[in-house]
Amino acid sequence: SSITDPLQCGNNWWILRNRGWRFDSTSPTTECASAFKADSVNAFVGYLEDEEVPCVPENAYNEHMCVSDLNQSLSTIFEEHLVDTASAHVQFSLFAGYCMNERAVYYYTHVDVSNHNLSTTYYLHYNHYYRFSDDNATSTRWIISKDDVSEASLKAACHHDDLLQCGVSTWMVSVVVDGDSRQQQTSHNIGVHNDECPLIHGEQIPSELTNSPVTTFVRSEEMEEESDAKYNTMVIIIVAVSVVVAVCVIVLVVIMCAWSFVHGSKEADAMEEHQVHQENQKEMASLTAVDGRGETV
């Protein structure tokens, strides 16, 4: 029977190769458009190549946004899909041609080359939601979601209208509790930088971020580096002082040993001289003898 739903073709493909057709049971088929589904309060709009994307000219942010974590615990959000696990930086890029609630959308894609190039995409986007069930008006926030742009796939959320205000202690991270249920916990280390990730380590900080939470985030990292430098300097000083003390102790021991040797040599010479003197006296006494007439022989 023929298949009318392409989603049923997953792991059921015949592929034409050099030597003919081969059956492939390792290529899944998914609904790519699922990432672009909207809901009753969120409007996700895509535009053709020749159309003007209204949210791009009005976008207050750069083409790239860097999400960083001082404690290197971004794996809570991105699981194993981190490019740079050592520094815990994830760079999002502008999702060209699309707007979410009239704001720009950003994405980060991880490709697992060890697993048939399986890709996982995360989205950073503007979200409308009802904070309470009886609210008549929606609230706004920025969220990071996995695989699609819906809050059903929410991984982290910042309850600010301006993404640049999403600095430290503003992100609620979705974590698994007791191996099953999910809860929202505040992260005190995640921050967003309005540029490419390498700038997070440099001295270049945009002037418009001088008083923002993002600057606080960057300065916190600099303070941590300064603290590490002071610690390393203190360790070097302690080691140097220890070496000096050890050298002084060794010199003192050598001096004491030398003094003991010299003093012992003098005492040995004095004792040897005394013994020689006694032997001389005994020898002289043996040479002196008185015969019966009282004459000295």
Side-chain angles (χ1 to χ4, degrees):
S1 60
S2 61
I3 296 177
T4 58
D5 184 1
L7 293 179
Q8 296 180 7
C9 294
N11 302 325
N12 192 31
W13 290 94
W14 284 91
I15 300 177
L16 180 61
R17 302 184 183 276
N18 293 335
R19 297 184 179 181
W21 292 90
R22 294 290 184 272
F23 182 73
D24 183 6
S25 61
T26 62
S27 299
T29 304
T30 59
E31 186 179 1
C32 296
S34 62
F36 313 134
K37 289 182 178 178
D39 52 40
S40 59
V41 295
N42 290 284
F44 186 82
V45 182
Y47 298 86
L48 300 176
E49 292 185 3
D50 58 347
E51 290 183 313
E52 181 181 357
V53 183
C55 63
V56 173
E58 299 176 0
N59 186 26
Y61 315 121
N62 291 328
E63 184 178 354
H64 302 286
M65 302 294 291
C66 182
V67 179
S68 302
D69 192 331
L70 290 178
N71 276 357
Q72 301 182 1
S73 58
L74 281 178
S75 56
T76 304
I77 301 176
F78 298 98
E79 301 167 356
E80 72 278 10
H81 305 126
L82 283 177
V83 172
D84 190 356
T85 56
S87 58
H89 300 324
V90 173
Q91 180 170 295
F92 283 81
S93 301
L94 184 66
F95 198 6
Y98 295 92
C99 298
M100 184 67 170
N101 298 317
E102 301 181 353
R103 300 285 186 95
V105 180
Y106 293 86
Y107 73 97
Y108 161 69
T109 299
H110 173 81
V111 178
D112 188 354
V113 295
S114 63
N115 188 17
H116 306 288
N117 291 329
L118 181 66
S119 64
T120 303
T121 301
Y122 296 83
Y123 297 91
L124 173 63
H125 54 96
Y126 190 61
N127 176 253
H128 291 170
Y129 74 106
Y130 291 106
R131 178 167 296 185
F132 303 103
S133 58
D134 57 349
D135 283 352
N136 294 322
T138 59
S139 300
T140 58
R141 61 185 176 180
W142 284 88
I143 69 173
I144 297 174
S145 59
K146 178 183 177 182
D147 295 329
D148 58 46
V149 290
S150 71
E151 62 180 75
S153 302
L154 183 147
K155 303 291 292 184
C158 169
H159 297 273
H160 283 283
D161 187 75
D162 183 2
L163 182 57
L164 296 184
Q165 295 300 314
C166 293
V168 292
S169 302
T170 63
W171 285 92
M172 299 292 293
V173 178
S174 178
V175 297
V176 177
V177 179
D178 298 329
D180 185 17
S181 61
R182 285 191 169 271
Q183 294 183 2
Q184 301 292 319
Q185 295 182 359
T186 302
S187 172
H188 299 286
N189 302 291
I190 296 177
V192 176
H193 186 64
N194 189 19
D195 216 322
E196 297 180 358
C197 284
L199 290 180
I200 207 73
H201 281 312
E203 298 297 331
Q204 182 180 354
I205 302 176
S207 58
E208 67 269 17
L209 301 182
T210 303
N211 298 317
S212 74
V214 180
T215 304
T216 304
F217 167 76
V218 177
R219 288 175 179 169
S220 297
E221 185 172 281
E222 292 176 350
M223 290 176 63
E224 184 177 353
E225 293 177 354
E226 183 179 354
S227 177
D228 290 341
K230 290 181 178 179
Y231 173 79
N232 293 334
T233 302
M234 183 175 297
V235 170
I236 293 174
I237 293 175
I238 292 175
V239 171
V241 171
S242 301
V243 171
V244 171
V245 171
V247 171
C248 291
V249 170
I250 293 173
V251 171
L252 181 60
V253 170
V254 171
I255 292 175
M256 292 180 65
C257 291
W259 182 84
S260 299
F261 176 77
V262 172
H263 183 69
S265 297
K266 289 182 178 180
E267 288 184 350
D269 292 342
M271 291 180 63
E272 184 178 356
E273 184 179 351
H274 179 68
Q275 289 178 355
V276 170
H277 179 69
Q278 286 183 339
E279 290 177 358
N280 290 337
Q281 286 183 339
K282 289 180 180 180
E283 186 177 352
M284 291 179 64
S286 64
L287 294 176
T288 304
V290 179
D291 57 9
R293 293 175 296 177
E295 296 180 353
T296 302
V297 180

